[in-house]
Amino acid sequence: MRWEDFRSSSNVEDRRGMGMGGAGGLGIGTMVILGLVGWALGIDPRILIGGAEMMTGGGSGYQQQQQGRQGAPQDEMGRFASAILGNTEDVWKTVLPQQANRQYQPPKLVLFSGATRSGCGAAQSAMGPFYCPLDQTVYIDLSFFEEMQRRFRAGGDFAYAYVLAHEVGHHVENQLGILPRVQERQQQVGGAERNQLSVRVELMADCLAGVWAHHSQQRWQSLEQGDIEEAIGAAEAIGDDRLQRKSQGTVVPDSFTHGSSEQRARWLTTGLKSGQIQACDTFRAARL
C-alpha cells in the first residue's frame, strides 16, 4: 500500500510508554481478565467494560488521563497510523456530506503501549484496537499489528490499514446516529439479540472500511497488487467462528459479536466494490 504519500493527521495523541495514569474504577487485574476474555471470544470490550463499570460504580475516573505527545509521531509505525488516519479524514470529509448529507467530524487517535485510560474505561493491549463513542477516539497499541502477523498470519500494510479504518467506521456509525440507537436497544433485549445487534454494527464497520479503501484508491491509487487479499485475509482471520474454534474448540453462532470469517470478508468486499454507505446498511440486509 502506498501510504507514504498520504497526508499525516495531526489529530493524534501518543501515550506510548506513559502507562495508565489517573485513578478509580476497576482494578488492573479485573481489566486484564476482561480484556483477555474479550480478545479470545471476539467480544466487544466496551460491552464487558461497560457492564463491569456499571456494577462497580466506576467510569468517571477513567476520563482523567495525562496528556501524551500531540501531533504526528516520527517513528515509522506511528507515521503509518497517522497517515492512515489522515487519509480516512480526507475521504470521509468528502464522502459523508455527499452520500449522507452530514459534515464529517474526525475522531482522535490515541496510541498507547500496554494500557491507558479512555472515556469508556481502561484500555488494555489484550483488547485489541477499539473505538470509544463517549470521547470519539480510536485507541490502539501498535503492537497489535505484530500480533496479527504472529497469531493470525494476517500481516501487510493494507491489512493494518483495514484495522484502523474499521475503527474509524465505528466513528462514522456514531456520526450517523447508529451507535447510540443500537446501544439503547442493546440495553432492552436479551443476550442473543444483543449479540446480533453487535454483529450488525461490526459488519457495517467492515463495509465502511471498504468504502474508505474504494475512494482512497480512486483518488490516490493507493493499492498495490495483493493488498485486497491481505485485507480480506485479515477480516477472515478475526471472524468469530475462527476465534472461537481456536480458543475453545467449538463454534457457538448465538454468541457471535463480530460476525463469521465469511461475513466479515464479504461485507468488506461489498464496501470495496460499491464505495457506497447505503450498501453497508447491515440493519436492513436480509442476509448477513
Side-chain angles (χ1 to χ4, degrees):
M1 184 180 195
R2 301 183 183 93
W3 60 269
E4 293 86 354
D5 295 331
F6 291 168
R7 177 188 64 83
S8 293
S9 173
S10 60
N11 202 21
V12 179
E13 181 182 344
D14 191 351
R15 299 180 189 171
R16 287 175 292 179
M18 292 178 61
M20 289 288 289
L26 300 176
I28 295 296
T30 302
M31 294 311 306
V32 169
I33 293 172
L34 290 177
L36 291 174
V37 169
W39 171 257
L41 300 182
I43 298 173
D44 188 336
R46 289 169 297 170
I47 297 174
L48 290 172
I49 297 168
E53 286 290 334
M54 286 188 287
M55 287 188 290
T56 60
S60 58
Y62 286 114
Q63 298 178 22
Q64 300 176 1
Q65 169 68 40
Q66 183 181 357
Q67 290 295 304
R69 295 178 295 275
Q70 305 293 320
Q74 298 303 309
D75 63 294
E76 183 174 5
M77 289 308 297
R79 287 191 295 107
F80 170 79
S82 175
I84 299 302
L85 182 67
N87 194 246
T88 63
E89 292 170 351
D90 292 341
V91 167
W92 285 115
K93 74 179 182 183
T94 299
V95 172
L96 199 64
Q98 287 179 346
Q99 297 189 14
N101 197 29
R102 304 261 182 137
Q103 293 300 311
Y104 184 62
Q105 301 296 325
K108 185 177 181 179
L109 175 65
V110 167
L111 309 178
F112 70 96
S113 54
T116 192
R117 301 198 184 273
S118 79
C120 294
Q124 297 281 345
S125 298
M127 297 173 183
F130 73 97
Y131 171 70
C132 173
L134 297 182
D135 58 12
Q136 300 187 54
T137 300
V138 173
Y139 291 84
I140 184 171
D141 184 330
L142 293 177
S143 66
F144 179 78
F145 296 149
E146 298 175 8
E147 192 77 355
M148 284 176 62
Q149 177 64 51
R150 186 178 67 83
R151 289 191 60 182
F152 305 121
R153 298 181 181 177
D157 287 347
F158 190 51
Y160 305 148
Y162 150 69
V163 169
L164 289 168
H166 171 94
E167 300 307 330
V168 172
H170 285 313
H171 180 67
V172 174
E173 293 173 327
N174 200 27
Q175 298 264 284
L176 294 171
I178 292 171
L179 280 189
R181 293 197 298 271
V182 169
Q183 290 168 347
E184 181 180 0
R185 179 61 180 165
Q186 283 180 318
Q187 295 175 2
Q188 301 169 351
V189 299
E193 186 175 349
R194 185 164 58 245
N195 290 343
Q196 184 66 197
L197 288 167
S198 179
V199 167
R200 292 180 187 274
V201 166
E202 296 297 332
L203 294 179
M204 184 175 185
D206 282 332
C207 185
L208 292 171
V211 171
W212 157 72
H214 173 98
H215 291 278
S216 180
Q217 171 66 6
Q218 276 196 337
R219 183 171 171 184
W220 289 277
Q221 296 296 303
S222 55
L223 299 183
E224 299 174 302
Q225 185 174 3
D227 279 348
I228 292 177
E229 290 78 8
E230 284 180 3
I232 290 175
E236 290 176 338
I238 54 179
D240 282 327
D241 52 341
R242 191 172 296 186
L243 289 173
Q244 287 186 353
R245 190 174 289 111
K246 186 172 183 177
S247 65
Q248 60 194 34
T250 59
V251 175
V252 184
D254 282 349
S255 68
F256 286 2
T257 58
H258 286 62
S260 69
S261 294
E262 185 276 332
Q263 288 172 325
R264 299 201 71 168
R266 176 161 45 81
W267 280 100
L268 171 61
T269 303
T270 296
L272 273 165
K273 290 182 177 179
S274 70
Q276 296 293 314
I277 295 173
Q278 187 175 3
C280 298
D281 190 350
T282 57
F283 293 90
R284 295 187 180 181
R287 178 195 175 205
L288 281 183

